[in-house]
Amino acid sequence: MAGGIYIHIPFCLKKCFYCDFYSEAADDKDLRALYIGALLADIEFYGKKYGKASGKAPGSFEADTIFFGGGTPSLMEPEHIETVISALKEKFNVAENAEITMEANPATLSAAKLSGYRKAGINRLSIGAQSFDDRVLEGLGRVHRARDISETVAMARQAGFDNINLDLMFAVPNQTMDSWKESLEKIIHIKPEHISFYSLEIAENTPFGRWLEEGKLAETPVAEDRQMYSLGIEMLEAAGYEHYEISNMALSGRECRHNLKYWQMDDYLGLGPSAHSFMEGKRFSSIGDVYKYIEMNPDERVQDIYQNSLNDNASEFVFTALRTKDGVSLEAFKKRIGVEFWQHYKDCREEFGKYVLDGYAVCDETHIALTAKGIDISNKIMAIFV
Ligand SMILES: C[S@@+](CC[C@H](N)C(=O)[O-])C[C@H]1O[C@@H](n2cnc3c(N)ncnc32)[C@H](O)[C@@H]1O
Ligand code: SF4
């Protein structure tokens, strides 16, 4: 089965006010080198379980996507990234044409670094732009400014990257509808192959979470959030992007192959502190602390091992597929889960049918999917299939 490998890089120059992903605000060269050593031990360990040394047929887990996420992977030296990619290719069956993505922050890149990453084998960059308005970037606690974004993309093009994603955020502090519209205009002008756009989520254990509780931060009203979301889709569609997943749009053929794996419930192996895996029906994660991670042996880092039941598999398949434009293919469901969709969900059919009648969802003999209107209440509709 084709699968994906995720590598977590748990370092950032500084924590953004909203971010709940695991990373340490550390820029310590020795720690980074120690971390690569610890990762290599994991690669060897999991190579014996799922890779070339597992004794399994080469096709049982062939990685056709690799994703360096974070944190800020672009804080790593190109040599470090090269070492990790070489080790992955040595220990796992990695497809010749694998998509190899790296997340990058605008303020952390140079022309030399970018060409080093390209040479190391990275063929897709995902850059955290967030906004083209300096007031908004400041309000988010970002270290970069709007000017850095176009400069970074220009340098990346120069270094040979022809597959670039830019992340945007909306419904964030200091952002007016005009500011959001201007960010969309600027991103369209830059024309990356892929654009992700996320509505702000406020997590408790972040500065934003605390400020919300203390009344120092106000949430964007839902109606405005949805208006921004619709404007984003409208403008990006007019510019030639296809809305293929709730928060993702791409030029034709440039969908993120790695993220599609999560949405199609394919196997993926996540390495590094806090990374999650779904392999051979089992979910597990790695301890979310880089210092402990470095000290432990690979087998001690694993936690929260959970064998998915048939019901888990079915509802996870529906949840993730409903996020995509194509929705749930009834045939793919049967193939992956092993039972007929409406046989498994016979008790939900009537309730789902009401959403279809009201124009929130569509349903025919081959698939079910959400409509644009349905995406706004996606959580409610998905809850039917828990
Ligand atoms: C894992 S982050 C890493 C990207 C990179 N470190 C950066 O920030 O430039 C991936 C993306 O998730 C989005 N994101 C992170 N936290 C978010 C939140 N609380 N609400 C909405 N989007 C968020 C941001 O757009 C970010 O670029
Ligand atoms: S740079 Fe990215 S990963 Fe790091 S704190 Fe900011 S959003 Fe989170």
Side-chain angles (χ1 to χ4, degrees):
M1 182 198 253
I5 297 180
Y6 173 83
I7 306 281
H8 192 70
I9 303 294
F11 308 114
C12 286
L13 284 179
K14 167 181 171 283
K15 285 300 288 183
C16 303
F17 299 148
Y18 55 87
C19 183
D20 190 29
F21 289 94
Y22 172 64
S23 66
E24 298 285 340
D27 188 18
D28 176 340
K29 219 173 165 194
D30 296 337
L31 181 64
R32 291 205 300 264
L34 278 174
Y35 178 56
I36 293 298
L39 255 183
L40 293 179
D42 251 9
I43 292 173
E44 169 139 18
F45 177 77
Y46 285 102
K48 288 186 188 143
K49 262 188 139 152
Y50 305 114
K52 288 181 182 167
S54 66
K56 294 177 184 167
S60 68
F61 179 71
E62 186 197 40
D64 65 354
T65 66
I66 296 173
F67 194 103
F68 289 86
T72 306
S74 51
L75 286 179
M76 302 307 277
E77 321 298 333
E79 297 73 41
H80 283 153
I81 299 293
E82 186 164 14
T83 304
V84 174
I85 294 177
S86 301
L88 288 172
K89 287 186 174 166
E90 191 189 321
K91 303 291 179 191
F92 288 88
N93 298 300
V94 175
E96 200 56 44
N97 68 344
E99 173 194 89
I100 310 185
T101 305
M102 188 175 92
E103 285 184 339
N105 287 33
T108 58
L109 291 158
S110 64
K113 242 177 155 182
L114 279 161
S115 76
Y117 293 139
R118 187 73 196 87
K119 284 199 195 91
I122 302 288
N123 53 29
R124 183 172 183 274
L125 272 189
S126 177
I127 301 170
Q130 320 309 353
S131 168
F132 288 80
D133 180 336
D134 282 344
R135 273 193 65 231
V136 171
L137 291 171
E138 206 177 317
L140 290 171
R142 297 290 302 187
V143 292
H144 77 275
R145 290 296 171 258
R147 180 167 43 86
D148 299 321
I149 304 166
S150 39
E151 281 175 11
T152 300
V153 175
M155 277 195 296
R157 295 286 189 214
Q158 194 72 32
F161 285 97
D162 61 3
N163 200 5
I164 296 180
N165 166 62
L166 294 183
D167 286 336
L168 287 180
M169 291 174 71
F170 63 94
V172 296
N174 296 347
Q175 191 180 41
T176 58
M177 194 58 85
D178 281 345
S179 153
W180 173 231
K181 189 164 177 238
E182 202 181 316
S183 284
L184 291 164
E185 281 163 358
K186 293 202 167 143
I187 208 167
I188 287 167
H189 180 71
I190 291 179
K191 214 164 179 48
E193 284 68 29
H194 188 287
I195 297 171
S196 302
F197 54 116
Y198 302 109
S199 167
L200 175 67
E201 273 184 41
I202 301 184
E204 262 175 35
N205 56 335
T206 59
F208 270 9
R210 283 194 298 281
W211 297 340
L212 183 69
E213 198 159 313
E214 292 163 7
K216 293 179 187 157
L217 181 85
E219 273 183 294
T220 305
V222 176
E224 201 176 319
D225 173 301
R226 291 299 86 192
Q227 230 180 319
M228 288 181 164
Y229 181 67
S230 304
L231 179 69
I233 296 167
E234 191 186 306
M235 286 177 63
L236 296 176
E237 271 181 346
Y241 291 87
E242 195 187 340
H243 186 208
Y244 74 101
E245 196 270 348
I246 287 185
S247 306
N248 288 282
M249 299 188 69
L251 297 179
S252 174
R254 298 311 190 106
E255 295 84 5
C256 174
R257 282 161 53 194
H258 184 80
N259 283 343
L260 280 171
K261 298 212 175 295
Y262 301 138
W263 305 323
Q264 291 166 352
M265 253 182 102
D266 291 340
D267 279 0
Y268 58 88
L269 179 66
L271 306 182
S274 84
H276 291 259
S277 300
F278 182 56
M279 293 294 289
E280 300 176 348
K282 250 192 230 131
R283 297 206 170 274
F284 52 90
S285 58
S286 282
I287 186 154
D289 179 318
V290 69
Y291 301 99
K292 289 189 184 149
Y293 181 91
I294 287 172
E295 277 171 18
M296 288 171 157
N297 292 320
D299 59 334
E300 297 167 325
R301 296 169 182 158
V302 190
Q303 56 181 28
D304 303 329
I305 304 172
Y306 179 77
Q307 179 71 48
N308 262 21
S309 66
L310 177 99
N311 275 340
D312 295 328
N313 279 341
S315 52
E316 284 171 20
F317 187 95
V318 175
F319 265 50
T320 46
L322 277 182
R323 294 184 58 93
T324 65
K325 177 180 67 72
D326 295 338
V328 181
S329 148
L330 304 190
E331 197 186 320
F333 180 92
K334 170 130 193 252
K335 208 165 148 209
R336 181 71 180 79
I337 310 300
V339 283
E340 294 282 351
F341 182 81
W342 285 122
Q343 177 61 32
H344 188 75
Y345 284 117
K346 51 182 178 303
D347 297 339
C348 312
R349 198 162 190 165
E350 195 182 329
E351 200 180 347
F352 184 72
K354 287 183 196 151
Y355 285 107
V356 175
L357 278 179
D358 292 339
Y360 291 102
V362 288
C363 171
D364 62 21
E365 297 93 78
T366 61
H367 82 300
I368 66 165
L370 299 183
T371 60
K373 195 168 120 175
I375 289 175
D376 287 343
I377 56 159
S378 58
N379 288 344
K380 223 168 142 187
I381 303 178
M382 287 174 185
I384 302 175
F385 299 103
V386 173

